[in-house]
Amino acid sequence: MSEPVARIRRALGTWDVVVLLALVAVAVIGALTIDGVASPRFWRFVVLEAIPIALIALPMTLIVITGEIDLSVASVLGLTCSVMGQLWVSGVTSLPLLIALALLLGAVLGAVNGLFVTGFGLPSLAVTIGTLALYRGLAYVVLGDRAVANYPTTWTTTAIQPLPGTTIPWMILVVAALAVVFAVVLHAMPIGRGLYAMGNNAEAARFAGVNVRLTKFWLFVASGAMSALAGVFWTLRFASARADNGSGLELAVVAAVLLGGVSIFGGRGALLGVLAAVALLGVLRNALQLAYVPANTLTVITGSLLIASVVGPNVAAMLRERLRRRRTTTVSPSS
């Protein structure tokens, strides 16, 4: 078998391609069986729903590859929304200043997570479960049960303004640009190889010259900042700042990252599969809503996909390893 053909076969056998094919299949089947799925309006709502999940999933992918996790992301989003609303009520009327302060707040919240994980050596799962509750509680302290909804219409309409000649919001360009940045860091820079090394063996990565603690710290900072950016978009999209904004969003983010082929144990995964999984979950959820599937059933489906995302790549890897061993055993006697 020629080398190009072998490379194509290896590429087609990756989990990323499986997720992409699943996305295409769900989109086609949905368009043929559910009224409205083929309409531009449907895809507009899919993109609007996917934008905050994709923004948070980008740094989350890198964090999970290192063997850590950040479950506080939705609470960071909610606290950002609350602070943004309170600042607006207090007289801060400059949108660039509000965005800058929101990103700074998110970075600080992420730094707190990073300090506990890397500075004190605490498990990221326990730390971020704690800050999940802490940050959400602070969001209610800042804003209470109020909803700040008197933002200028120029802000709210601009946030979801479609690209010329399409129904797709322009914010997708920001997501695409950030995805390229994260992809270059992960797949084309030495630090990316260091992230995979950390996920496979943090001690070996340290001996190889990777600053494990500092790298993980900045990943949590990036996660906080990106969650804050998602919070800004959330506030402007719905024209409402509330303390409960984004509640439960961490489940969708983790499901997308794991369904995209990132190993929960670290050391394996790629951004392409994660972004495809974000789109797959968005299409599936919106299509089922058009089919009048109850919300509880959608939650069950999301949970099932989360379990499948953990089991599927591991089963696929096991099957590939068995096929490789079989081929090796078949070739060895003749050689």
Side-chain angles (χ1 to χ4, degrees):
M1 182 186 300
S2 64
E3 183 62 23
V5 174
R7 287 182 180 178
I8 292 173
R9 289 190 62 177
R10 285 196 297 269
L12 291 175
T14 62
W15 185 257
D16 297 350
V17 174
V18 171
V19 178
L20 283 170
L21 292 176
L23 170 60
V24 173
V26 168
V28 171
I29 293 172
L32 294 175
T33 59
I34 302 174
D35 290 338
V37 170
S39 69
R41 180 181 174 83
F42 171 83
W43 291 100
R44 172 175 173 79
F45 279 104
V46 168
V47 173
L48 285 172
E49 183 180 294
I51 284 172
I53 298 174
L55 288 173
I56 301 173
L58 291 174
M60 182 73 83
T61 299
L62 275 60
I63 288 174
V64 176
I65 284 175
T66 66
E68 306 290 351
I69 197 166
D70 184 358
L71 295 178
S72 69
V73 288
S75 296
V76 172
L77 183 154
L79 181 52
T80 300
C81 293
S82 294
V83 171
M84 188 175 172
Q86 187 58 47
L87 288 173
W88 169 256
V89 170
S90 301
V92 180
T93 58
S94 169
L95 181 58
L97 179 58
L98 283 173
I99 293 175
L101 292 174
L103 294 178
L104 178 61
L105 173 63
V108 170
L109 298 175
V112 171
N113 288 334
L115 178 63
F116 279 109
V117 173
T118 63
F120 297 100
L122 299 175
S124 58
L125 178 64
V127 168
T128 56
I129 285 177
T131 52
L132 177 153
L134 173 63
Y135 295 160
R136 186 65 69 179
L138 289 174
Y140 280 100
V141 170
V142 171
L143 207 57
D145 292 328
R146 292 178 296 156
V148 179
N150 59 335
Y151 296 105
T153 55
T154 52
W155 292 10
T156 56
T157 55
T158 300
I160 58 175
Q161 190 74 24
L163 293 168
T166 72
T167 61
I168 304 300
W170 71 271
M171 188 68 183
I172 194 65
L173 298 179
V174 176
V175 176
L178 290 170
V180 170
V181 172
F182 277 89
V184 168
V185 170
L186 181 61
H187 299 297
M189 295 181 66
I191 187 175
R193 293 191 291 274
L195 298 180
Y196 286 107
M198 278 185 264
N200 286 305
N201 191 321
E203 196 63 30
R206 191 177 291 110
F207 279 116
V210 178
N211 192 329
V212 175
R213 289 186 176 182
L214 188 61
T215 302
K216 288 185 178 181
F217 173 81
W218 285 111
L219 287 180
F220 280 102
V221 172
S223 179
M226 293 293 283
S227 299
L229 180 59
V232 171
F233 175 77
W234 192 289
T235 300
L236 296 181
R237 179 199 168 185
F238 294 105
S240 177
R242 293 175 54 92
D244 61 352
N245 279 1
S247 293
L249 194 68
E250 65 277 349
L251 175 62
V253 174
V254 173
V257 171
L258 299 184
L259 183 61
V262 179
S263 173
I264 190 64
F265 304 107
R268 189 178 75 238
L271 274 174
L272 175 61
V274 172
L275 294 175
V278 170
L280 172 60
L281 290 173
V283 172
L284 185 61
R285 183 174 183 83
N286 281 272
L288 292 177
Q289 285 176 339
L290 283 180
Y292 301 104
V293 174
N296 292 336
T297 304
L298 293 177
T299 304
V300 170
I301 291 172
T302 302
S304 301
L305 287 173
L306 185 56
I307 295 173
S309 66
V310 176
V311 175
N314 290 288
V315 171
M318 182 178 65
L319 291 175
R320 284 198 300 269
E321 181 64 20
R322 285 186 178 180
L323 285 173
R324 187 188 66 79
R325 288 179 180 176
R326 230 177 244 183
R327 288 171 183 169
T328 303
T329 306
T330 304
V331 171
S332 295
S334 61
S335 60

